[in-house]
Amino acid sequence: MFKGQDKTSEAEMLTSVHELGTKMPNWGAAFHGKVQYLMCYACAGSRLQFCVLEWGDNIPRLLGRELLLTSQRDRLCIIAVAVQMYQVIKARYGQLPDHYLPLGWTQTTSFSSIDYFDGYVQKHVKY
C-alpha cells in the first residue's frame, strides 16, 4: 500500500525516486491484492517527494512538489498529505489481500517451509 525509499544525502533524491520503481519490479496478489497503484515516498536527507507507482509500470509518477523537512510550512503539508493518504488507504481496504505476507518472510510448518519474495514464492517440502 505504501512504499518508501530513503537516502542520507540530499544529492541522492533522483536515485531515491528511481529506486522506488527498480527495487519493486514485480507485484503479486499475495502481497498487494487487487491494488492498481502503490503510493510511495522518496526521501533524501531533508528532501521528501511523494510519488505513485502504477501496476505494470516501474516509473514513479511525482505527486505534487518536493517538500523540505526543514521548512515548517512543508512539514504541515506532509501532515496533510499523510492524512489524505490514510483516507485513500482506508477507502481501498477492500482491494487489499485477506492477510499480510511480508517480503522476505519464511513460513515454516513441520512438513514444509514457504519463502515469500518480491517476484515469486518458493516452497520446500521436507521428506
Side-chain angles (χ1 to χ4, degrees), residues 16-108:
S16 187
V17 170
H18 177 72
E19 287 181 357
L20 286 169
T22 59
K23 286 191 173 181
M24 191 162 174
N26 300 308
W27 292 18
F31 300 108
H32 303 100
K34 299 175 185 174
V35 173
Q36 294 297 312
Y37 57 91
L38 187 64
M39 293 177 291
C40 308
Y41 74 88
C43 188
S46 64
R47 299 166 63 190
L48 179 72
Q49 177 68 60
F50 289 103
C51 308
V52 66
L53 280 172
E54 295 183 55
W55 184 276
D57 190 359
N58 65 350
I59 300 171
R61 307 288 187 237
L62 304 182
L63 297 176
R65 66 179 177 82
E66 184 179 293
L67 301 167
L68 294 174
L69 300 174
T70 56
S71 162
Q72 182 179 13
R73 180 175 180 228
D74 284 0
R75 288 194 305 267
L76 291 172
C77 287
I78 292 166
I79 292 170
V81 170
V83 169
Q84 291 170 343
M85 288 193 170
Y86 171 76
Q87 292 170 333
V88 170
I89 290 170
K90 186 176 177 185
R92 292 169 50 195
Y93 180 77
Q95 298 174 331
L96 297 176
D98 294 334
H99 52 282
Y100 173 71
L101 300 172
L103 294 176
W105 181 65
T106 300
Q107 179 182 6
T108 305

